[in-house]
């Protein structure tokens, strides 16, 4: 079978009409190129002096890694001149980034977490880039934060790059989930999993157990039942994974099933969890639903949430349908 590169795949998607207009196709190609540049820097690690702290903090008050800042700059530099975007927003920037005056503006808004799981970068554990694309409200020349505040159902594209043993790019435009693997010799992403589907049932869960004493009752009940295994109400044993890199967890779930949970907890009642809605929760929820899974905040579909702030957080329960239905059902009781 002849290899289908990302460029060929996107041209063929565009030709089929509908989900991938030329401007959006070009944007996705550009994001793919930026992820290859990030991948190269990540792979170099200490050899390129990109490990360790940047000595700065982001809007979340978190210390930035050098690679957080480098990855953010790669995405801004790659996407600002192409003419597809009206503005960009990132976990690493408090305010939206406007397209400089010398470049044409386009119809889309791009949001990203440039290096998710970056606390893993110094210990050589997989990290990734997550992105989400919205339409800019028509007639808006200089988008404000308010123009980004659209529910996840309005996304026109979403994806992630996983910088792991293989470098992979996973995309959705609302017509399924497509997985590409980087041919590092040729520098091309090649289609390797054309229609990713999440198994409806699973024996694997992912949660940071060290937060157990802070969880709400429905989460405690659900996880206790998993831990009770074959001796408990579930009547079967379960396995646990926690990579502390959402991109790696979601990719494992897309590949073999599972449920990923980052619930809100009592440590900070003001924060409904650790993950951010606009550039972590929404893109991953879009991808998971397109692969036949579910994604809720414990009470409602993540994609239906009307955002109030650009960097707002959201509790996340996503993955195999049966398990997300169960834990969400416990919240409803
Ligand atoms: P904890 C990475 O910092 C991240 O945002 C997600 O990628 C990951 O799932 C989570 O935080 C890990 O959080 O509290 O286990 O370090």
């Amino acid at each position: 079978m002849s290899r289908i590169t990302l460029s060929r795949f996107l041209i063929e998607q565009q030709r089929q009409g509908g989900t991938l207009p030329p401007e959006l196709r070009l944007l996705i190609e550009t994001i793919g190129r930026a992820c290859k540049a990030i991948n190269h820097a990540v792979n170099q690690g200490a050899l390129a002096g990109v490990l360790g702290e940047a000595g700065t903090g982001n809007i979340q008050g978190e210390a930035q890694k050098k690679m957080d800042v480098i990855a953010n700059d790669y995405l801004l530099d790659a996407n600002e001149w192409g003419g597809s975007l009206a503005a960009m927003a990132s976990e690493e920037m408090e305010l939206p980034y406007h397209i400089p005056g010398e470049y044409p503006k386009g119809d889309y808004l791009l949001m990203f977490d440039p290096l998710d799981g970056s606390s893993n970068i110094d210990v050589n554990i997989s990290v990734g880039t997550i992105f989400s694309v919205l339409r800019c409200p028509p007639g808006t020349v200089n988008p404000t934060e308010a123009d980004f505040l659209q529910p996840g159902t309005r996304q026109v594209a979403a994806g992630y790059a996983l910088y792991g043993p293989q470098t992979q790019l996973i995309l959705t435009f609302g017509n399924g989930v497509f997985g590409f693997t980087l041919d590092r010799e040729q520098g091309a992403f090649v289609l390797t999993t054309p229609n990713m589907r999440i198994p409806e049932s699973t024996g694997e869960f992912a949660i940071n157990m060290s937060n157990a004493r802070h969880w709400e009752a429905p989460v405690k009940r659900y996880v206790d039942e998993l831990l009770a295994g074959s001796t408990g109400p579930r009547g079967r044993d379960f396995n646990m994974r926690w990579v502390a890199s959402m991109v790696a967890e979601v990719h494992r779930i897309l590949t073999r099933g599972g449920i990923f949970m980052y619930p809100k907890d009592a440590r900070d009642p003001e924060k409904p969890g650790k993950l951010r809605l606009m550039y972590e929760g929404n893109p991953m929820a879009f991808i998971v639903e397109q692969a036949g899974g579910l994604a809720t905040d414990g009470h409602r579909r993540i994609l239906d949430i009307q955002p109030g702030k650009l960097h707002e957080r959201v509790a996340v329960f996503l993955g195999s349908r049966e398990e997300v239905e169960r834990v969400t059902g416990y919240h409803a009781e």
Side-chain angles (χ1 to χ4, degrees), residues 14-326:
Q14 176 185 318
R15 201 175 289 147
Q16 287 166 19
T19 59
L20 199 64
E23 209 181 53
L24 182 56
R25 175 184 57 80
L26 178 65
L27 173 59
I28 301 299
E29 290 224 59
T30 305
I31 293 168
R33 264 199 307 279
C35 290
K36 283 195 283 190
I38 295 169
N39 173 66
H40 178 70
V42 164
N43 291 167
Q44 288 287 93
L47 299 175
V50 296
L51 301 182
E53 305 294 325
T56 51
N58 65 16
I59 170 71
Q60 327 291 342
E62 293 163 344
Q64 288 175 307
K65 295 286 188 185
K66 285 179 191 166
M67 264 312 303
D68 282 322
V69 178
I70 292 166
N72 196 66
D73 288 346
Y74 278 164
L75 283 158
L76 295 178
D77 297 347
N79 285 291
E80 65 178 355
W81 48 267
S84 300
L85 295 175
M88 294 183 247
S90 162
E91 179 186 62
E92 304 305 330
M93 304 184 299
E94 183 175 358
L95 300 172
Y97 178 87
H98 289 122
I99 301 303
E102 65 264 37
Y103 300 129
K105 287 188 174 35
D107 300 333
Y108 298 102
L109 300 174
L110 175 64
M111 293 156 287
F112 46 82
D113 177 358
L115 203 69
D116 176 66
S118 57
S119 57
N120 286 327
I121 188 83
D122 296 344
V123 293
N124 198 15
I125 291 175
S126 299
V127 292
T129 298
I130 310 172
F131 69 88
S132 170
V133 184
L134 291 168
R135 285 190 187 80
C136 185
T140 305
V141 179
N142 278 316
T144 63
E145 176 170 336
D147 294 304
F148 284 84
L149 302 183
Q150 303 175 37
T153 45
R154 298 261 190 83
Q155 292 174 98
V156 293
Y160 62 80
L162 175 60
Y163 311 117
Q166 302 102 47
T167 299
Q168 292 194 269
L169 182 68
I170 307 299
L171 300 174
T172 187
F173 314 113
N175 60 345
V177 178
F178 306 95
F180 300 80
T181 302
L182 181 64
D183 176 335
R184 290 174 173 148
E185 275 67 53
Q186 286 197 6
F189 279 111
V190 179
L191 183 65
T192 42
T193 45
N195 181 26
M196 302 186 83
R197 301 293 296 171
I198 300 177
E200 296 222 346
S201 62
T202 182
E204 201 160 63
F205 70 98
I207 193 166
N208 183 335
M209 290 297 290
S210 69
N211 300 326
R213 67 187 184 282
H214 304 300
W215 295 337
E216 295 182 324
V219 180
K220 285 194 176 87
R221 172 187 171 192
Y222 176 72
V223 175
D224 284 347
E225 289 179 356
L226 299 178
L227 295 175
S230 54
T231 66
R234 300 299 305 271
R236 61 162 295 173
D237 290 339
F238 287 80
N239 192 19
M240 198 205 95
R241 288 285 181 274
W242 190 250
V243 183
S245 179
M246 186 186 195
V247 176
E249 316 277 10
V250 169
H251 191 73
R252 185 188 59 249
I253 289 167
L254 267 179
T255 306
R256 70 184 189 209
I259 179 170
F260 167 86
M261 297 170 274
Y262 210 109
K264 73 178 185 179
D265 63 47
R267 279 176 293 177
D268 185 344
E270 291 304 305
K271 284 184 193 170
K274 175 179 183 185
L275 302 174
R276 290 81 173 182
L277 175 61
M278 299 303 291
Y279 38 79
E280 290 173 329
N282 273 340
M284 290 313 204
F286 188 15
I287 292 164
V288 163
E289 286 198 3
Q290 283 293 311
L294 289 179
T296 76
D297 68 350
H299 302 279
R300 54 194 164 156
R301 191 175 171 229
I302 285 178
L303 294 182
D304 288 338
I305 296 173
Q306 174 55 51
K309 292 194 302 253
L310 183 60
H311 298 290
E312 82 179 52
R313 296 170 190 267
V314 66
V316 177
F317 300 83
L318 64 77
S320 293
R321 174 176 294 277
E322 288 173 9
E323 294 307 314
V324 178
E325 278 173 348
R326 177 183 289 265

